[in-house]
Amino acid sequence: MEPKSKDERLLWAQFDALEMGSGWDESDITKLQILVDDVWGDSHPGSVHLHQLSEQAKYGIYEMGAKPAMYHATDICDGCAQGHDGMNRILASREAIANLVEMHASALSWDGMVLSSSCDKSVPAHLKAIARMNIPAIFMPGGSMRPGPYQTTSLVAGDISLRQKRKDAITPEEIRDYKLTGCPSCGACTFLGTASTMQCMAEALGLTLPGAALAPATMRDILDYAREAGRQIVRLAKAGLTPDKILTPAAFRNAIVIHAAIGGSTNATLHLPSIARELGIDLPLELFDEINHKVPHLGNINPSGQHLTESFWFAGGIPQVERELAHFLDLDVMTVTGKTLGENLDDLEKSHWFVRNLGYLANYGLKREDVIWPLEKTSEPGSVAVLKGNIAPDGSVIKYSACVKEQRTVVNAPARVFNCEEDAYFSVVRGEINPGDVIVIRYEGPRGCGMPEMLMTTEGIVCDPRLNGTVALITDGRFSGATRGAAIGHVSPEAAAGGPIAFIEEGDLISYDIATRTINVTGIAGVPCSVEEATAVLAERSKKGIIPREPRKGFYKYYTTHALSATLGAGLE
């Protein structure tokens, strides 16, 4: 099979000369040509090792007689952006990376591509690019970081950071010990945050090799996956198996089922619709809620559960969850193996994959059922709910699997209102928030300031014994996948679009209920009233208008001017 670029080479002789000047030889320009694009860089643990995976993919491509070419589009880290203006750029980086991969993939007629990333925005960026370009493609996940001491995660940072700001609450030794042990290796942080969730979503969509999501980043297995990804992309190119044959409505429904079962990040309710949108597929927020009413929550995985992502992979990872939930899934969907999901699960069974890693799990004194609950041991359906009401007419989301039952219903709680996260966080630090308050943070949506996550504030709440389990947070911004507690985000319409959240005032009363999927202002200035009366007051207040935005520039200005609503995935128009 000749490369797609054959005809293009005849248009301009420099094409071949430029590639040969880069180390290609005359035989290379006659082969299938595969783009290998990653987010390798020294910026954080999720990207620093990806060149090793890309090298293995290259070897696999060479083995199959094709020619790889490596490109890079380094990503940025949510963890490094906490607490400062950098966090406002994080979600926008998803669009920047997807666009840059599009540029790389459009520069010449590639026959296929392997994309590799680990983390929050780069994984969905790569999945968007795969959907957009629609050439044969495989996604290669960057895997999981090693656990910290005593099976902790990097989010010990929440407690450390809060106590750092309080007088005599921490020692220099505690701070230094955390810095030396909080991130003990490369790979995605080892809780089921957005990074780990989106690796799982890539596999659930059929875009990774079976079992590749969350493989430990320091073990030999992940190198094997990368090598095989290189081999398999050549097979896909020869077969002409393009992403539109894999990313079907049934595949997206499968992914939402898996997301509900494992207790995945609420950010998937942004990313999956945005990926689907690239293919013209509508993925309404209501579909998440419908599925979460039915699918049992199987994943005993931090932060909704106890164990870490490395242990989840040892227990069988996404394939084991798919086995448990086979009757909820469409097993006939096509995947990048060139086989159906059902055939992949059969092949894994035959290869001994489901039992091979249980010995590693035993090293921690664990059994599979400790990490992935069998169906008969599940206690409730789903993990995410969509709430609507006069605060969020178009919807909002909460991960109730990470919320104590006592906070799943709140009636007439006083609102503490802030126009940015930083003010709310330092009110927590200074002890100005009281048990039973509901913190409202607005103007943090996609057009407000880029939809930053509120992890610093949610961690401040749950790490404060006086507030933990009693204070909820409502925002038109978003949350980290690691968020714990009563955290209701993605409120739509957002404040910057004139949504009702912009007109809540200090002391208004707020009620929400996960069982009935409602969220409303139910009192004005401390006095309870009907939902209808409160809605009328919010409408009257709206006549005053919203707070104007500060001047912006560059891509940040472009994103916040053109970003879609969170209910549509917060991509660009």
Side-chain angles (χ1 to χ4, degrees):
M1 184 174 179
E2 294 181 330
K4 289 182 180 179
S5 61
K6 179 185 177 185
D7 292 340
E8 295 170 2
R9 295 175 185 280
L10 299 177
L11 297 174
W12 187 244
Q14 190 184 22
F15 191 153
D16 289 346
L18 288 167
E19 290 185 333
M20 294 176 70
S22 302
W24 297 40
D25 67 21
E26 288 183 274
S27 67
D28 289 332
I29 59 179
T30 68
K31 300 173 182 175
L32 294 179
Q33 294 170 18
I34 307 296
L35 171 65
V36 180
D37 209 338
D38 59 34
V39 291
W40 169 71
D42 292 336
S43 57
H44 60 95
S47 66
V48 72
H49 64 306
L50 294 177
H51 65 293
Q52 296 173 291
L53 304 187
S54 292
E55 282 293 329
Q56 291 295 326
K58 281 178 60 178
Y59 298 156
I61 293 164
Y62 276 125
E63 286 177 24
M64 296 294 291
K67 178 68 176 77
M70 291 182 69
Y71 286 60
H72 309 287
T74 302
D75 63 349
I76 52 182
C77 178
D78 295 48
C80 297
Q82 291 293 334
H84 58 86
D85 190 50
M87 179 53 74
N88 295 335
R89 274 72 174 174
I90 291 291
L91 183 57
S93 75
R94 181 190 69 181
E95 307 307 311
I97 294 169
N99 290 345
L100 187 53
V101 174
E102 176 194 340
M103 295 301 102
H104 293 168
S106 302
L108 59 90
S109 298
W110 301 101
D111 297 288
M113 61 182 179
V114 176
L115 304 182
S116 184
S117 54
S118 306
C119 289
D120 298 55
K121 306 307 170 294
S122 50
V123 176
H126 278 168
L127 301 183
K128 281 170 64 80
I130 286 172
R132 186 182 303 173
M133 296 311 302
N134 203 35
I135 62 174
I138 293 179
F139 176 73
M140 179 58 221
S144 291
M145 183 184 288
R146 293 302 316 281
Y150 304 103
Q151 292 289 293
T152 56
T153 77
S154 60
L155 278 188
V156 173
D159 173 64
I160 296 288
S161 298
L162 180 64
R163 290 191 290 134
Q164 275 184 293
K165 298 174 182 69
R166 290 179 169 171
K167 183 176 175 60
D168 300 325
I170 196 168
T171 66
E173 290 76 18
E174 286 180 274
I175 297 169
R176 182 169 186 265
D177 285 347
Y178 166 71
K179 290 179 179 179
L180 294 173
T181 62
C183 295
S185 79
C186 60
C189 293
T190 189
F191 46 81
L192 195 63
T194 307
S196 297
T197 296
M198 292 313 298
Q199 289 190 38
C200 293
M201 293 300 93
E203 183 167 338
L205 287 168
L207 291 177
T208 74
L209 297 177
L214 303 182
T218 56
M219 291 179 66
R220 59 170 301 280
D221 303 78
I222 200 167
L223 300 179
D224 280 356
Y225 277 115
R227 179 77 70 93
E228 181 58 22
R231 299 185 189 106
Q232 183 60 19
I233 189 58
V234 180
R235 299 184 190 111
L236 293 185
K238 290 178 178 178
L241 182 56
T242 49
D244 61 335
K245 298 179 178 69
I246 296 170
L247 294 175
T248 61
F252 281 103
R253 186 178 181 89
N254 280 356
I256 298 173
V257 168
I258 298 301
H259 179 263
I262 63 177
S265 165
T266 52
N267 284 302
T269 67
L270 297 173
H271 299 319
L272 288 175
S274 193
I275 296 161
R277 191 178 179 86
E278 298 286 350
L279 291 157
I281 296 172
D282 181 34
L283 212 60
L285 196 58
E286 290 76 13
L287 182 59
F288 287 85
D289 200 60
E290 173 195 322
I291 289 172
N292 273 271
H293 270 93
K294 301 174 183 176
V295 174
H297 179 208
L298 304 178
N300 186 13
I301 315 165
N302 182 291
S304 296
Q306 180 180 2
H307 300 295
L308 305 186
T309 52
E310 179 188 76
S311 294
F312 175 60
W313 189 78
F314 291 151
I318 293 303
Q320 179 61 26
V321 175
E322 290 169 333
R323 284 210 303 181
E324 290 282 351
L325 298 178
H327 59 295
F328 286 99
L329 300 170
D330 185 335
L331 299 180
D332 293 326
V333 293
M334 182 54 60
T335 73
V336 291
T337 64
K339 299 180 180 180
T340 66
L341 171 58
E343 290 171 327
N344 289 343
L345 294 177
D346 288 342
D347 287 346
L348 289 175
E349 181 73 44
K350 293 172 186 175
S351 73
H352 220 232
W353 191 87
F354 287 107
V355 298
R356 186 178 305 131
N357 295 320
L358 293 179
Y360 292 121
L361 196 58
N363 287 344
Y364 295 139
L366 298 173
K367 297 178 181 178
R368 171 177 285 151
E369 56 265 32
D370 296 324
V371 184
I372 302 173
W373 293 312
L375 286 175
E376 62 272 15
K377 291 189 177 182
T378 59
S379 59
E380 67 178 0
S383 54
V384 170
V386 177
L387 312 184
K388 292 186 177 183
N390 66 16
I391 293 175
D394 293 344
S396 61
V397 296
I398 179 172
K399 184 159 72 171
Y400 58 84
S401 61
C403 173
V404 296
K405 286 187 168 64
E406 293 77 10
Q407 281 195 290
R408 297 187 182 185
T409 299
V410 164
V411 178
N412 288 337
R416 304 297 304 277
V417 181
F418 302 90
N419 291 328
C420 68
E421 186 201 8
E422 292 80 2
D423 289 348
Y425 175 70
F426 282 103
S427 287
V428 171
V429 170
R430 292 190 296 264
E432 296 167 357
I433 302 298
N434 299 312
D437 286 347
V438 173
I439 296 173
V440 176
I441 308 176
R442 71 267 187 106
Y443 294 101
E444 300 279 18
R447 295 203 177 194
C449 64
M451 206 176 186
E453 67 180 35
M454 308 283 123
L455 178 64
M456 197 164 70
T457 302
T458 56
E459 282 298 292
I461 294 168
V462 300
C463 292
D464 188 327
R466 191 174 68 93
L467 304 180
N468 185 29
T470 71
V471 171
L473 192 158
I474 297 172
T475 181
D476 53 6
R478 61 186 179 85
F479 297 111
S480 165
T483 292
R484 303 170 286 166
I488 301 168
H490 307 193
V491 168
S492 299
E494 62 175 290
I501 191 174
F503 310 112
I504 299 172
E505 294 183 359
E506 187 88 3
D508 287 348
L509 303 180
I510 290 176
S511 302
Y512 66 83
D513 182 52
I514 290 171
T516 60
R517 303 309 205 244
T518 55
I519 180 168
N520 289 292
V521 172
T522 52
I524 300 298
V527 180
C529 66
S530 69
V531 170
E532 292 75 18
E533 289 171 326
T535 302
V537 171
L538 292 173
E540 182 64 27
R541 289 175 181 172
S542 72
K543 295 176 182 178
K544 296 184 293 185
I546 62 173
I547 297 173
R549 300 191 319 179
E550 75 281 3
R552 292 166 184 177
K553 60 184 178 180
F555 183 68
Y556 179 53
K557 178 180 179 180
Y558 184 83
Y559 178 77
T560 55
T561 300
H562 297 282
L564 295 166
S565 164
T567 60
L568 297 175
L572 293 170
E573 292 177 318

